[in-house]
Amino acid sequence: MEDKVHGVFVGEKVSKVRWKPEDLVESDIFLTGSWDNETNHLVLWLYPPNEDDADIYPCTIGTHPYDGDITELKFINSNMFVVSSTVGSVKLLKIDGKEPCLAALKEVMSWDDIHFLSVGGHIPCTGLAVFEEDIVSVGEDGCLCLLTARQKMPVRRIEGADSCSLRCVCFLKHNEVLTGNLRGQMKTGASCVTHHPTQRHMVLAGGEDGSLTVWDLRHHTFPVTLLSAHSDAVSELQFHPDRPEHLFTCSTSGEIWHWNTSSMSRSAHLGTMPSEFPRDENLWLNSDVAKHRLEVFTLMPQLHKPINSLDVSKNRVVCGCDNEAVYVFKNVVL
């Protein structure tokens, strides 16, 4: 896999990275956010598809200064995205400009100090999730804030949504969200959480101990599958948007992995799976099958610094790290 990866030095520790979403075509623009600087930055990158030239690397096409460490980035459409930070605020920005080389990042709206201490002072906003123009944020104050891109006033603030700091959040439906903390509860006990692209009742949580936990929200009591994975905390996990038999994870241990259930899917289609396992059931929800048929590949040798974030496009994966570099992997799903 190493011959399909392009790395570029950023000069800042990268906390989050996201592809600019495009309909039907491979995205060639991605966005990074930094942390651990007096002034951090959002950086827009161009990585044009060119299979004939293996020496093309990502290049910067726009930057925007940002107060606080950037803790999350989420696109709400192809040109607008929200950003959270350790100063307790959420901002809505847009990519302005018709041509990539003329692109600029402009602030549209700001929800300042929506996570704060009762005695005064801000507190980090730790996670964001979006559902069309609806936005939900969580923070170390244990509060959950519902926002919308259509107005500056927060729609709702739920005080004490958890008795401890909230770490991550995702939308399950337009009126239902799932949150995770580091205390080990589901709500979910997790460093990151995501749902299956087509079966939202199936949730994967990455743990501080490096494990992956699979939950079926139709049955709330126990996790369906528990998989030993990375040697340290799972930083982020994402399904491929179009082919959910592929999952990608990264870790503070410096690892980035590709989990492939294609062979399990083929076995189910050919009727070679155990008879007690329904062919139309999600393969992640069978612990025995997942443990014995799952294929896991490393996308590159383990780094000596944490990999903080990843994002998946149609046939590319990008990740950002504490070694002040970003890496783009090509042809990850063929």
Side-chain angles (χ1 to χ4, degrees):
M1 179 59 70
E2 290 83 352
D3 60 338
K4 298 180 181 179
V5 57
H6 284 158
V8 61
F9 180 70
V10 178
E12 298 178 306
K13 295 178 181 179
V14 179
S15 58
K16 288 295 171 181
V17 58
R18 296 287 179 258
W19 287 106
K20 179 179 179 288
E22 301 288 354
D23 293 331
L24 304 178
V25 297
E26 185 82 78
S27 179
D28 56 8
I29 292 175
F30 64 89
L31 181 70
T32 61
S34 68
W35 77 285
D36 201 25
N37 298 307
E38 289 187 6
T39 300
N40 288 289
H41 294 89
L42 294 163
V43 182
L44 201 62
W45 298 82
L46 176 66
Y47 184 69
N50 189 334
E51 297 298 331
D52 297 329
D53 188 355
D55 293 326
I56 288 182
Y57 288 82
C59 59
T60 302
I61 56 175
T63 61
H64 184 83
Y66 205 88
D67 291 333
D69 295 344
I70 293 169
T71 57
E72 186 59 277
L73 300 172
K74 294 285 185 179
F75 276 89
I76 63 173
N77 57 41
S78 61
N79 288 308
M80 301 184 75
F81 61 93
V82 286
V83 189
S84 62
S85 75
T86 53
V87 299
S89 301
V90 175
K91 296 182 184 294
L92 175 67
L93 292 95
K94 69 176 180 179
I95 300 173
D96 201 24
K98 295 183 179 180
E99 298 295 330
C101 60
L102 301 175
L105 300 177
K106 294 186 177 180
E107 184 176 316
V108 177
M109 196 178 303
S110 178
W111 297 274
D112 297 326
D113 301 321
I114 56 175
H115 295 280
F116 56 87
L117 295 170
S118 58
V119 294
H122 54 251
I123 200 165
C125 174
T126 53
L128 282 176
V130 298
F131 191 99
E132 297 176 348
E133 292 187 337
D134 291 336
I135 306 156
V136 64
S137 73
V138 295
E140 288 188 2
D141 54 356
C143 293
L144 184 148
C145 295
L146 180 62
L147 315 169
T148 175
R150 298 182 294 273
Q151 68 182 48
K152 183 173 177 60
M153 182 69 66
V155 176
R156 187 179 180 187
R157 174 180 166 85
I158 301 177
E159 301 278 355
D162 202 307
S163 58
C164 70
S165 299
L166 289 170
R167 176 66 176 268
C168 51
V169 61
C170 74
F171 269 99
L172 299 176
K173 302 176 183 177
H174 74 281
N175 61 348
E176 186 176 340
V177 297
L178 181 74
T179 64
N181 59 35
L182 297 185
R183 191 174 52 196
Q185 292 183 333
M186 183 70 181
K187 305 185 183 181
T188 208
S191 54
C192 52
V193 62
T194 191
H195 59 75
H196 191 276
T198 60
Q199 301 180 44
R200 287 178 173 254
H201 62 268
M202 196 201 87
V203 171
L204 263 69
E208 284 287 297
D209 60 354
S211 64
L212 291 186
T213 307
V214 184
W215 297 81
D216 184 348
L217 297 184
R218 298 170 299 182
H219 312 288
H220 298 281
T221 308
F222 299 105
V224 179
T225 306
L226 179 62
L227 299 171
S228 296
H230 298 282
S231 58
D232 209 335
V234 181
S235 306
E236 197 154 25
L237 70 169
Q238 284 196 25
F239 284 100
H240 190 280
D242 302 321
R243 298 178 59 182
E245 67 270 23
H246 298 275
L247 175 76
F248 297 87
T249 62
C250 62
S251 170
T252 56
S253 60
E255 299 164 321
I256 179 166
W257 290 359
H258 175 192
W259 303 68
N260 187 357
T261 65
S262 296
S263 61
M264 297 160 57
S265 301
R266 286 193 295 269
S267 297
H269 179 73
L270 294 173
T272 58
M273 297 288 278
S275 59
E276 66 273 14
F277 187 69
R279 294 187 187 183
D280 59 350
E281 185 67 47
N282 191 301
L283 297 169
W284 284 96
L285 299 179
N286 183 285
S287 59
D288 291 333
V289 172
K291 290 177 180 178
H292 296 101
R293 300 277 188 117
L294 195 59
E295 296 178 323
V296 185
F297 308 94
T298 180
L299 295 187
M300 68 177 176
Q302 184 175 358
L303 302 178
H304 297 294
K305 294 284 187 177
I307 299 178
N308 297 317
S309 182
L310 65 82
D311 199 24
V312 185
S313 184
K314 294 186 182 301
N315 204 23
R316 295 173 170 181
V317 172
V318 62
C319 71
C321 318
D322 269 3
N323 65 356
E324 302 187 357
V326 294
Y327 301 89
V328 181
F329 306 89
K330 302 190 300 180
N331 303 324
V332 291
V333 178
L334 298 176

PDB file of all heavy atoms in Angstrom, residues 141-172:
ATOM      1  N   ASP A 141     -18.591  20.442  29.237  1.00  0.00           N
ATOM      2  CA  ASP A 141     -19.553  20.848  30.264  1.00  0.00           C
ATOM      3  C   ASP A 141     -20.701  19.857  30.382  1.00  0.00           C
ATOM      4  O   ASP A 141     -21.605  20.050  31.207  1.00  0.00           O
ATOM      5  CB  ASP A 141     -20.098  22.243  29.966  1.00  0.00           C
ATOM      6  CG  ASP A 141     -20.686  22.363  28.558  1.00  0.00           C
ATOM      7  OD1 ASP A 141     -20.605  21.393  27.792  1.00  0.00           O
ATOM      8  OD2 ASP A 141     -21.215  23.446  28.238  1.00  0.00           O
ATOM      9  N   GLY A 142     -20.691  18.773  29.575  1.00  0.00           N
ATOM     10  CA  GLY A 142     -21.760  17.784  29.622  1.00  0.00           C
ATOM     11  C   GLY A 142     -23.047  18.243  28.983  1.00  0.00           C
ATOM     12  O   GLY A 142     -24.081  17.582  29.128  1.00  0.00           O
ATOM     13  N   CYS A 143     -23.002  19.370  28.259  1.00  0.00           N
ATOM     14  CA  CYS A 143     -24.206  19.927  27.637  1.00  0.00           C
ATOM     15  C   CYS A 143     -24.259  19.591  26.151  1.00  0.00           C
ATOM     16  O   CYS A 143     -23.231  19.376  25.498  1.00  0.00           O
ATOM     17  CB  CYS A 143     -24.250  21.442  27.821  1.00  0.00           C
ATOM     18  SG  CYS A 143     -24.468  21.944  29.544  1.00  0.00           S
ATOM     19  N   LEU A 144     -25.485  19.594  25.637  1.00  0.00           N
ATOM     20  CA  LEU A 144     -25.738  19.357  24.222  1.00  0.00           C
ATOM     21  C   LEU A 144     -26.480  20.564  23.673  1.00  0.00           C
ATOM     22  O   LEU A 144     -27.484  20.997  24.248  1.00  0.00           O
ATOM     23  CB  LEU A 144     -26.560  18.079  24.048  1.00  0.00           C
ATOM     24  CG  LEU A 144     -26.856  17.585  22.631  1.00  0.00           C
ATOM     25  CD1 LEU A 144     -26.930  16.061  22.610  1.00  0.00           C
ATOM     26  CD2 LEU A 144     -28.164  18.175  22.110  1.00  0.00           C
ATOM     27  N   CYS A 145     -25.976  21.126  22.569  1.00  0.00           N
ATOM     28  CA  CYS A 145     -26.580  22.309  21.961  1.00  0.00           C
ATOM     29  C   CYS A 145     -27.052  21.978  20.555  1.00  0.00           C
ATOM     30  O   CYS A 145     -26.286  21.445  19.749  1.00  0.00           O
ATOM     31  CB  CYS A 145     -25.582  23.467  21.904  1.00  0.00           C
ATOM     32  SG  CYS A 145     -25.079  24.095  23.517  1.00  0.00           S
ATOM     33  N   LEU A 146     -28.310  22.308  20.281  1.00  0.00           N
ATOM     34  CA  LEU A 146     -28.871  22.129  18.948  1.00  0.00           C
ATOM     35  C   LEU A 146     -28.874  23.464  18.233  1.00  0.00           C
ATOM     36  O   LEU A 146     -29.425  24.456  18.733  1.00  0.00           O
ATOM     37  CB  LEU A 146     -30.290  21.566  19.033  1.00  0.00           C
ATOM     38  CG  LEU A 146     -31.004  21.339  17.699  1.00  0.00           C
ATOM     39  CD1 LEU A 146     -30.253  20.308  16.855  1.00  0.00           C
ATOM     40  CD2 LEU A 146     -32.443  20.890  17.924  1.00  0.00           C
ATOM     41  N   LEU A 147     -28.248  23.496  17.048  1.00  0.00           N
ATOM     42  CA  LEU A 147     -28.125  24.704  16.243  1.00  0.00           C
ATOM     43  C   LEU A 147     -28.719  24.448  14.858  1.00  0.00           C
ATOM     44  O   LEU A 147     -28.965  23.302  14.479  1.00  0.00           O
ATOM     45  CB  LEU A 147     -26.651  25.108  16.093  1.00  0.00           C
ATOM     46  CG  LEU A 147     -25.784  25.085  17.345  1.00  0.00           C
ATOM     47  CD1 LEU A 147     -24.319  25.248  16.974  1.00  0.00           C
ATOM     48  CD2 LEU A 147     -26.222  26.181  18.311  1.00  0.00           C
ATOM     49  N   THR A 148     -28.923  25.515  14.113  1.00  0.00           N
ATOM     50  CA  THR A 148     -29.310  25.386  12.718  1.00  0.00           C
ATOM     51  C   THR A 148     -28.576  26.443  11.912  1.00  0.00           C
ATOM     52  O   THR A 148     -28.350  27.572  12.402  1.00  0.00           O
ATOM     53  CB  THR A 148     -30.826  25.529  12.522  1.00  0.00           C
ATOM     54  OG1 THR A 148     -31.132  25.508  11.117  1.00  0.00           O
ATOM     55  CG2 THR A 148     -31.357  26.820  13.116  1.00  0.00           C
ATOM     56  N   ALA A 149     -28.202  26.088  10.683  1.00  0.00           N
ATOM     57  CA  ALA A 149     -27.494  27.021   9.812  1.00  0.00           C
ATOM     58  C   ALA A 149     -28.387  28.162   9.352  1.00  0.00           C
ATOM     59  O   ALA A 149     -27.910  29.115   8.727  1.00  0.00           O
ATOM     60  CB  ALA A 149     -26.935  26.278   8.595  1.00  0.00           C
ATOM     61  N   ARG A 150     -29.669  28.097   9.677  1.00  0.00           N
ATOM     62  CA  ARG A 150     -30.619  29.122   9.233  1.00  0.00           C
ATOM     63  C   ARG A 150     -30.750  30.287  10.212  1.00  0.00           C
ATOM     64  O   ARG A 150     -31.367  31.294   9.879  1.00  0.00           O
ATOM     65  CB  ARG A 150     -31.998  28.502   9.002  1.00  0.00           C
ATOM     66  CG  ARG A 150     -32.015  27.449   7.916  1.00  0.00           C
ATOM     67  CD  ARG A 150     -33.409  26.900   7.703  1.00  0.00           C
ATOM     68  NE  ARG A 150     -33.887  26.150   8.867  1.00  0.00           N
ATOM     69  CZ  ARG A 150     -33.646  24.859   9.066  1.00  0.00           C
ATOM     70  NH1 ARG A 150     -32.920  24.189   8.186  1.00  0.00           N
ATOM     71  NH2 ARG A 150     -34.115  24.239  10.136  1.00  0.00           N
ATOM     72  N   GLN A 151     -30.198  30.154  11.422  1.00  0.00           N
ATOM     73  CA  GLN A 151     -30.325  31.250  12.392  1.00  0.00           C
ATOM     74  C   GLN A 151     -29.163  31.240  13.372  1.00  0.00           C
ATOM     75  O   GLN A 151     -28.545  30.208  13.622  1.00  0.00           O
ATOM     76  CB  GLN A 151     -31.641  31.144  13.162  1.00  0.00           C
ATOM     77  CG  GLN A 151     -31.721  29.940  14.095  1.00  0.00           C
ATOM     78  CD  GLN A 151     -33.054  29.837  14.809  1.00  0.00           C
ATOM     79  OE1 GLN A 151     -34.106  29.948  14.192  1.00  0.00           O
ATOM     80  NE2 GLN A 151     -33.012  29.622  16.123  1.00  0.00           N
ATOM     81  N   LYS A 152     -28.890  32.422  13.934  1.00  0.00           N
ATOM     82  CA  LYS A 152     -27.775  32.554  14.876  1.00  0.00           C
ATOM     83  C   LYS A 152     -28.149  32.088  16.274  1.00  0.00           C
ATOM     84  O   LYS A 152     -27.308  31.564  17.005  1.00  0.00           O
ATOM     85  CB  LYS A 152     -27.292  34.006  14.907  1.00  0.00           C
ATOM     86  CG  LYS A 152     -26.093  34.226  15.807  1.00  0.00           C
ATOM     87  CD  LYS A 152     -25.555  35.626  15.681  1.00  0.00           C
ATOM     88  CE  LYS A 152     -24.399  35.853  16.659  1.00  0.00           C
ATOM     89  NZ  LYS A 152     -23.276  34.942  16.428  1.00  0.00           N
ATOM     90  N   MET A 153     -29.400  32.245  16.645  1.00  0.00           N
ATOM     91  CA  MET A 153     -29.832  31.846  17.982  1.00  0.00           C
ATOM     92  C   MET A 153     -29.875  30.325  18.082  1.00  0.00           C
ATOM     93  O   MET A 153     -30.475  29.665  17.242  1.00  0.00           O
ATOM     94  CB  MET A 153     -31.221  32.414  18.291  1.00  0.00           C
ATOM     95  CG  MET A 153     -31.725  32.071  19.691  1.00  0.00           C
ATOM     96  SD  MET A 153     -30.790  32.903  20.994  1.00  0.00           S
ATOM     97  CE  MET A 153     -31.230  34.622  20.680  1.00  0.00           C
ATOM     98  N   PRO A 154     -29.216  29.724  19.094  1.00  0.00           N
ATOM     99  CA  PRO A 154     -29.326  28.270  19.269  1.00  0.00           C
ATOM    100  C   PRO A 154     -30.773  27.833  19.416  1.00  0.00           C
ATOM    101  O   PRO A 154     -31.577  28.515  20.073  1.00  0.00           O
ATOM    102  CB  PRO A 154     -28.520  28.011  20.549  1.00  0.00           C
ATOM    103  CG  PRO A 154     -27.558  29.153  20.632  1.00  0.00           C
ATOM    104  CD  PRO A 154     -28.289  30.331  20.068  1.00  0.00           C
ATOM    105  N   VAL A 155     -31.122  26.708  18.811  1.00  0.00           N
ATOM    106  CA  VAL A 155     -32.480  26.191  18.880  1.00  0.00           C
ATOM    107  C   VAL A 155     -32.791  25.698  20.286  1.00  0.00           C
ATOM    108  O   VAL A 155     -33.852  25.952  20.844  1.00  0.00           O
ATOM    109  CB  VAL A 155     -32.683  25.063  17.855  1.00  0.00           C
ATOM    110  CG1 VAL A 155     -34.075  24.448  17.973  1.00  0.00           C
ATOM    111  CG2 VAL A 155     -32.438  25.574  16.437  1.00  0.00           C
ATOM    112  N   ARG A 156     -31.826  24.994  20.868  1.00  0.00           N
ATOM    113  CA  ARG A 156     -32.044  24.437  22.204  1.00  0.00           C
ATOM    114  C   ARG A 156     -30.693  24.112  22.837  1.00  0.00           C
ATOM    115  O   ARG A 156     -29.751  23.720  22.144  1.00  0.00           O
ATOM    116  CB  ARG A 156     -32.895  23.168  22.131  1.00  0.00           C
ATOM    117  CG  ARG A 156     -33.305  22.605  23.480  1.00  0.00           C
ATOM    118  CD  ARG A 156     -34.166  21.355  23.332  1.00  0.00           C
ATOM    119  NE  ARG A 156     -34.550  20.820  24.629  1.00  0.00           N
ATOM    120  CZ  ARG A 156     -35.182  19.663  24.800  1.00  0.00           C
ATOM    121  NH1 ARG A 156     -35.494  18.924  23.745  1.00  0.00           N
ATOM    122  NH2 ARG A 156     -35.497  19.233  26.015  1.00  0.00           N
ATOM    123  N   ARG A 157     -30.621  24.295  24.139  1.00  0.00           N
ATOM    124  CA  ARG A 157     -29.440  23.884  24.909  1.00  0.00           C
ATOM    125  C   ARG A 157     -29.901  22.967  26.030  1.00  0.00           C
ATOM    126  O   ARG A 157     -30.740  23.360  26.851  1.00  0.00           O
ATOM    127  CB  ARG A 157     -28.713  25.107  25.478  1.00  0.00           C
ATOM    128  CG  ARG A 157     -27.552  24.768  26.408  1.00  0.00           C
ATOM    129  CD  ARG A 157     -26.889  26.038  26.932  1.00  0.00           C
ATOM    130  NE  ARG A 157     -26.021  25.759  28.052  1.00  0.00           N
ATOM    131  CZ  ARG A 157     -24.754  25.373  27.961  1.00  0.00           C
ATOM    132  NH1 ARG A 157     -24.214  25.210  26.766  1.00  0.00           N
ATOM    133  NH2 ARG A 157     -24.030  25.145  29.039  1.00  0.00           N
ATOM    134  N   ILE A 158     -29.387  21.748  26.053  1.00  0.00           N
ATOM    135  CA  ILE A 158     -29.768  20.776  27.077  1.00  0.00           C
ATOM    136  C   ILE A 158     -28.675  20.761  28.142  1.00  0.00           C
ATOM    137  O   ILE A 158     -27.576  20.229  27.929  1.00  0.00           O
ATOM    138  CB  ILE A 158     -29.970  19.372  26.478  1.00  0.00           C
ATOM    139  CG1 ILE A 158     -31.053  19.419  25.392  1.00  0.00           C
ATOM    140  CG2 ILE A 158     -30.336  18.376  27.564  1.00  0.00           C
ATOM    141  CD1 ILE A 158     -31.272  18.096  24.693  1.00  0.00           C
ATOM    142  N   GLU A 159     -28.960  21.377  29.261  1.00  0.00           N
ATOM    143  CA  GLU A 159     -28.010  21.414  30.376  1.00  0.00           C
ATOM    144  C   GLU A 159     -27.930  20.030  31.013  1.00  0.00           C
ATOM    145  O   GLU A 159     -28.940  19.345  31.187  1.00  0.00           O
ATOM    146  CB  GLU A 159     -28.474  22.420  31.424  1.00  0.00           C
ATOM    147  CG  GLU A 159     -28.623  23.845  30.900  1.00  0.00           C
ATOM    148  CD  GLU A 159     -27.308  24.585  30.869  1.00  0.00           C
ATOM    149  OE1 GLU A 159     -26.302  24.009  31.357  1.00  0.00           O
ATOM    150  OE2 GLU A 159     -27.282  25.724  30.383  1.00  0.00           O
ATOM    151  N   GLY A 160     -26.732  19.612  31.365  1.00  0.00           N
ATOM    152  CA  GLY A 160     -26.565  18.344  32.049  1.00  0.00           C
ATOM    153  C   GLY A 160     -27.038  17.155  31.229  1.00  0.00           C
ATOM    154  O   GLY A 160     -27.634  16.219  31.767  1.00  0.00           O
ATOM    155  N   ALA A 161     -26.806  17.197  29.908  1.00  0.00           N
ATOM    156  CA  ALA A 161     -27.140  16.042  29.074  1.00  0.00           C
ATOM    157  C   ALA A 161     -26.375  14.809  29.540  1.00  0.00           C
ATOM    158  O   ALA A 161     -26.804  13.674  29.329  1.00  0.00           O
ATOM    159  CB  ALA A 161     -26.827  16.335  27.612  1.00  0.00           C
ATOM    160  N   ASP A 162     -25.249  15.032  30.216  1.00  0.00           N
ATOM    161  CA  ASP A 162     -24.497  13.959  30.847  1.00  0.00           C
ATOM    162  C   ASP A 162     -23.849  14.518  32.103  1.00  0.00           C
ATOM    163  O   ASP A 162     -23.570  15.712  32.188  1.00  0.00           O
ATOM    164  CB  ASP A 162     -23.428  13.392  29.898  1.00  0.00           C
ATOM    165  CG  ASP A 162     -23.003  11.985  30.262  1.00  0.00           C
ATOM    166  OD1 ASP A 162     -22.619  11.769  31.426  1.00  0.00           O
ATOM    167  OD2 ASP A 162     -23.059  11.101  29.402  1.00  0.00           O
ATOM    168  N   SER A 163     -23.623  13.661  33.085  1.00  0.00           N
ATOM    169  CA  SER A 163     -23.022  14.114  34.340  1.00  0.00           C
ATOM    170  C   SER A 163     -21.513  14.258  34.251  1.00  0.00           C
ATOM    171  O   SER A 163     -20.870  14.678  35.209  1.00  0.00           O
ATOM    172  CB  SER A 163     -23.376  13.135  35.468  1.00  0.00           C
ATOM    173  OG  SER A 163     -22.938  11.826  35.147  1.00  0.00           O
ATOM    174  N   CYS A 164     -20.927  13.880  33.100  1.00  0.00           N
ATOM    175  CA  CYS A 164     -19.495  14.086  32.892  1.00  0.00           C
ATOM    176  C   CYS A 164     -19.294  14.649  31.488  1.00  0.00           C
ATOM    177  O   CYS A 164     -20.248  14.882  30.746  1.00  0.00           O
ATOM    178  CB  CYS A 164     -18.713  12.789  33.083  1.00  0.00           C
ATOM    179  SG  CYS A 164     -18.981  11.557  31.805  1.00  0.00           S
ATOM    180  N   SER A 165     -18.049  14.875  31.113  1.00  0.00           N
ATOM    181  CA  SER A 165     -17.752  15.445  29.801  1.00  0.00           C
ATOM    182  C   SER A 165     -18.230  14.531  28.685  1.00  0.00           C
ATOM    183  O   SER A 165     -18.078  13.311  28.755  1.00  0.00           O
ATOM    184  CB  SER A 165     -16.238  15.664  29.660  1.00  0.00           C
ATOM    185  OG  SER A 165     -15.770  16.562  30.629  1.00  0.00           O
ATOM    186  N   LEU A 166     -18.809  15.141  27.664  1.00  0.00           N
ATOM    187  CA  LEU A 166     -19.182  14.402  26.459  1.00  0.00           C
ATOM    188  C   LEU A 166     -18.046  14.486  25.457  1.00  0.00           C
ATOM    189  O   LEU A 166     -17.405  15.527  25.299  1.00  0.00           O
ATOM    190  CB  LEU A 166     -20.466  14.974  25.865  1.00  0.00           C
ATOM    191  CG  LEU A 166     -21.749  14.687  26.671  1.00  0.00           C
ATOM    192  CD1 LEU A 166     -22.913  15.496  26.130  1.00  0.00           C
ATOM    193  CD2 LEU A 166     -22.071  13.199  26.640  1.00  0.00           C
ATOM    194  N   ARG A 167     -17.800  13.386  24.735  1.00  0.00           N
ATOM    195  CA  ARG A 167     -16.657  13.320  23.837  1.00  0.00           C
ATOM    196  C   ARG A 167     -17.054  13.327  22.357  1.00  0.00           C
ATOM    197  O   ARG A 167     -16.353  13.892  21.530  1.00  0.00           O
ATOM    198  CB  ARG A 167     -15.851  12.048  24.153  1.00  0.00           C
ATOM    199  CG  ARG A 167     -14.664  11.776  23.250  1.00  0.00           C
ATOM    200  CD  ARG A 167     -13.582  12.818  23.386  1.00  0.00           C
ATOM    201  NE  ARG A 167     -12.423  12.495  22.581  1.00  0.00           N
ATOM    202  CZ  ARG A 167     -11.374  11.795  23.018  1.00  0.00           C
ATOM    203  NH1 ARG A 167     -11.351  11.349  24.261  1.00  0.00           N
ATOM    204  NH2 ARG A 167     -10.354  11.538  22.223  1.00  0.00           N
ATOM    205  N   CYS A 168     -18.177  12.675  22.018  1.00  0.00           N
ATOM    206  CA  CYS A 168     -18.530  12.526  20.612  1.00  0.00           C
ATOM    207  C   CYS A 168     -20.043  12.434  20.469  1.00  0.00           C
ATOM    208  O   CYS A 168     -20.753  12.149  21.437  1.00  0.00           O
ATOM    209  CB  CYS A 168     -17.863  11.294  19.995  1.00  0.00           C
ATOM    210  SG  CYS A 168     -18.097   9.779  20.947  1.00  0.00           S
ATOM    211  N   VAL A 169     -20.527  12.677  19.240  1.00  0.00           N
ATOM    212  CA  VAL A 169     -21.962  12.685  18.989  1.00  0.00           C
ATOM    213  C   VAL A 169     -22.200  12.359  17.524  1.00  0.00           C
ATOM    214  O   VAL A 169     -21.377  12.673  16.663  1.00  0.00           O
ATOM    215  CB  VAL A 169     -22.570  14.071  19.356  1.00  0.00           C
ATOM    216  CG1 VAL A 169     -21.951  15.185  18.515  1.00  0.00           C
ATOM    217  CG2 VAL A 169     -24.077  14.071  19.208  1.00  0.00           C
ATOM    218  N   CYS A 170     -23.340  11.707  17.232  1.00  0.00           N
ATOM    219  CA  CYS A 170     -23.744  11.502  15.840  1.00  0.00           C
ATOM    220  C   CYS A 170     -25.262  11.489  15.759  1.00  0.00           C
ATOM    221  O   CYS A 170     -25.947  11.133  16.721  1.00  0.00           O
ATOM    222  CB  CYS A 170     -23.148  10.226  15.238  1.00  0.00           C
ATOM    223  SG  CYS A 170     -23.884   8.686  15.811  1.00  0.00           S
ATOM    224  N   PHE A 171     -25.786  11.927  14.619  1.00  0.00           N
ATOM    225  CA  PHE A 171     -27.218  11.874  14.350  1.00  0.00           C
ATOM    226  C   PHE A 171     -27.594  10.461  13.938  1.00  0.00           C
ATOM    227  O   PHE A 171     -26.938   9.847  13.081  1.00  0.00           O
ATOM    228  CB  PHE A 171     -27.598  12.829  13.215  1.00  0.00           C
ATOM    229  CG  PHE A 171     -27.980  14.198  13.660  1.00  0.00           C
ATOM    230  CD1 PHE A 171     -27.064  15.246  13.605  1.00  0.00           C
ATOM    231  CD2 PHE A 171     -29.255  14.463  14.132  1.00  0.00           C
ATOM    232  CE1 PHE A 171     -27.413  16.518  14.006  1.00  0.00           C
ATOM    233  CE2 PHE A 171     -29.627  15.738  14.539  1.00  0.00           C
ATOM    234  CZ  PHE A 171     -28.697  16.770  14.480  1.00  0.00           C
ATOM    235  N   LEU A 172     -28.667   9.912  14.539  1.00  0.00           N
ATOM    236  CA  LEU A 172     -29.241   8.650  14.081  1.00  0.00           C
ATOM    237  C   LEU A 172     -30.445   8.917  13.177  1.00  0.00           C
ATOM    238  O   LEU A 172     -30.629   8.248  12.162  1.00  0.00           O
ATOM    239  CB  LEU A 172     -29.672   7.799  15.275  1.00  0.00           C
ATOM    240  CG  LEU A 172     -28.557   7.392  16.236  1.00  0.00           C
ATOM    241  CD1 LEU A 172     -29.129   6.633  17.414  1.00  0.00           C
ATOM    242  CD2 LEU A 172     -27.502   6.559  15.517  1.00  0.00           C
TER     243      LEU A 172
END
